[in-house]
Amino acid sequence: MNDSAPTPAPRRARVRAPELIGKGGWLNTGGEELTLADLRGKIVLLDFWTFCCVNCLHVLDELRDLEEKHRDTLVIVGVHSPKFVHEAEHQAVVDAVERYEVHHPVLDDPELATWKQYAVRAWPTLVVIDPEGYVVAQHAGEGHANAIRTLVEELEAEHEAKGTLRRGDGPYVAPEPVATDLRFPGKAVVLEGGNFLVSDTTRHQLVELAEDGETVVRRIGEGIFREPQGLALLPGGKVVVADTVNHALRTYDPGTGAIELVAGTGKQWWQGSPTSGPALDVDLSSPWDVAWWQGKVWIAMAGVHQLWTYDPGTGTVEVAAGTTNEGLVDGPAAEAWFAQPSGLAATEDRLWIADSETSAVRWIDTDGVVHTAVGTGLFDFGHRDGSADQALLQHPLGVTALPDGSVAVSDTYNHALRRFDPATGEVTTLATDLREPSDAVLVGDEIVVVESARHRLTRLRLPEEAVRVEAAAYRTQREATEVAPGRLRLDVVFQAPTGQKLDERYGPSTRLLVSSTPPELLLGGEGTGTDLFRELDLNPEITEGVLHVSAMAASCDDDPANEYPACHVHQQDWGVPVKVTADGVARLPLILAGMDG
């Protein structure tokens, strides 16, 4: 028997959690409306997410083990907080919850009401509420699963002892499954014999369809793939597959049925990991599409906002373009910024890119220079045809090279097929009334569109004339933060998880990168440093813009006896819309992990 006094529970800031409200109502609850009072006695983890955001999808996967292991004490609630107009549609949220296999209650908050109540500034953000209804921690970005696991275990022990923990089933009610041949297909390619190969994303397999685009010939790779997306034919007839959630590339041989892992370790790439080397030794991050160009497989590495290449001849991978910073910056490949590149199409002299989060069509030339054809940045989108410098798209996921040198764009959140013609510099609309088109392939004088949210391939004739569409221009609903001109103190709040400390064995364990759009917004304070705070000097002549902030912190187990402590990387990118006003704030706190004291 141990007579020593029990270890006191750690002291935590206690802030009463605001109520959960959202006009779209609740999903995965069997039609029940939930309140925080209904969840009293449970540990509640709010996951503020939006389905366009690849980092949010990473966090969904990070939380699956935690959700399973603590299902009798922990309730995860997804708070869907849209960036794009399409994401505010209730049916689109219903589709996304099924598409990404979200197995917990989801609050559809199209007007960002709960987001504002919790002062959230970034997707994804995680908020932990204790069994008595108090907020005890907030985390932004990826890499926090271990810290949250530790906190959940502490809260279980603390509230079990107090008698305030309620064990038992949570409020999740699984929806009824729907039978269709395809379920949220992602990409397609035409095989040498004329059949279609489709990535059947939500069912984690490939499906070969006959030339009619409807008859199932065979299903491929069950138990091997996880949410596969991009497909590309290689010289010789094999198909390379972007095995997205496995962070890998595989090849499939239609002749023999053989599937082979050719790149990736199965682990997600993190800052500081190798960016080149033997393909099976280097981590990848959510490869979303692939294309054969210039003798290599080019990879739209959505998870880190870059393009990579895989060389089958040498069996190596390397970064080809992008810095991992999220945004829209053209120029030499090593200096360009992308934002979740999700579609690729190759011609002889250029590689077209659907850069989804900037609602842009980009391209890279054979000299390695990145250009933008359509799109202006992270927060401007819509459906507007005309001159490319004025035209607007909404989160396109696919591009398809056409024989005349133009490119068809699967304009996913506008439910449309668009066209950009470099010869005229014009953007037009080819077809509407598609449902989340994510890719398209040419078959003779027809184009076959992957209608992802209608679970089918749709065959269209390429029209002689464009469709007329009433123009619409949007900006994200996120409210801009009002900041004062002159000196602005930026604080990234990071508290190492219980039992861990900052890993400073090999130098600084933190990194902060700051820039702005337009660049003239910052007169000082931009650039990279190792402190998680920065004095910024705002230009009083620029009234609005976006602050781009990227922060990383590495923490390790705080046990001197352990020669090889477990370490964890926490990272997040923020794009903070700001308005410069005389009565704005002089301090901008961004929470990476912990609570802002």
Side-chain angles (χ1 to χ4, degrees), residues 346-400:
T347 65
E348 188 173 336
D349 61 351
R350 62 178 69 179
L351 181 71
W352 292 103
I353 304 148
D355 203 28
S356 62
E357 279 294 297
T358 51
S359 298
V361 173
R362 322 274 297 277
W363 53 281
I364 186 168
D365 62 28
T366 53
D367 293 324
V369 178
V370 176
H371 311 260
T372 296
V374 185
T376 59
L378 286 165
F379 299 113
D380 294 293
F381 50 90
H383 191 144
R384 186 164 64 201
D385 289 330
S387 172
D389 60 356
Q390 299 293 316
L392 294 171
L393 309 168
Q394 188 180 177
H395 198 80
L397 290 177
V399 278
T400 307

Side-chain angles (χ1 to χ4, degrees), residues 1 3 13 193 260:
M1 182 174 175
D3 294 324
E260 181 184 359

Side-chain angles (χ1 to χ4, degrees), residues 7 36 44 48 78 95 163 197 213 227 230 270 286 335 337 344 371 404 409 413 550:
T7 303
L36 284 177
V44 178
F48 289 86
D95 288 344
L197 188 66
E227 296 183 25
W270 289 95
S286 296
E335 300 169 16
W337 291 22
L344 300 174
H371 311 260
D404 64 358
V409 183
Y413 289 2
S550 177

Side-chain angles (χ1 to χ4, degrees), residues 270-483:
W270 289 95
Q271 290 287 352
S273 302
T275 56
S276 63
L280 293 172
D281 296 340
V282 178
D283 300 339
L284 308 180
S285 183
S286 296
W288 210 273
D289 203 7
V290 281
W292 179 256
W293 189 57
Q294 302 284 304
K296 294 180 180 178
V297 175
W298 286 68
I299 309 164
M301 202 71 80
V304 285
H305 317 299
Q306 291 180 313
L307 304 181
W308 288 42
T309 58
Y310 161 63
D311 186 337
T314 62
T316 56
V317 292
E318 63 180 349
V319 172
T323 63
T324 77
N325 295 319
E326 184 179 15
L328 194 154
V329 176
D330 288 339
E335 300 169 16
W337 291 22
F338 297 95
Q340 223 168 288
S342 301
L344 300 174
T347 65
E348 188 173 336
D349 61 351
R350 62 178 69 179
L351 181 71
W352 292 103
I353 304 148
D355 203 28
S356 62
E357 279 294 297
T358 51
S359 298
V361 173
R362 322 274 297 277
W363 53 281
I364 186 168
D365 62 28
T366 53
D367 293 324
V369 178
V370 176
H371 311 260
T372 296
V374 185
T376 59
L378 286 165
F379 299 113
D380 294 293
F381 50 90
H383 191 144
R384 186 164 64 201
D385 289 330
S387 172
D389 60 356
Q390 299 293 316
L392 294 171
L393 309 168
Q394 188 180 177
H395 198 80
L397 290 177
V399 278
T400 307
L402 300 179
D404 64 358
S406 67
V407 60
V409 183
S410 294
D411 192 6
T412 310
Y413 289 2
N414 280 326
H415 309 303
L417 190 68
R418 312 284 294 282
R419 176 176 177 262
F420 167 65
D421 186 351
T424 63
E426 294 286 309
V427 174
T428 53
T429 298
L430 298 176
T432 59
D433 193 32
L434 301 166
R435 186 71 188 169
E436 291 191 17
S438 53
D439 195 21
V441 292
L442 277 176
V443 180
D445 59 356
E446 296 180 323
I447 192 162
V448 176
V449 180
V450 180
E451 261 197 287
S452 189
R454 282 200 179 112
H455 319 292
R456 69 187 189 192
L457 303 188
T458 298
R459 192 180 296 263
L460 305 171
R461 290 195 69 81
L462 281 171
E464 297 290 332
E465 293 186 11
V467 178
R468 286 199 162 274
V469 175
E470 194 68 35
Y474 307 111
R475 281 185 67 82
T476 180
Q477 286 192 79
R478 280 184 64 184
E479 290 183 349
T481 299
E482 294 191 357
V483 295

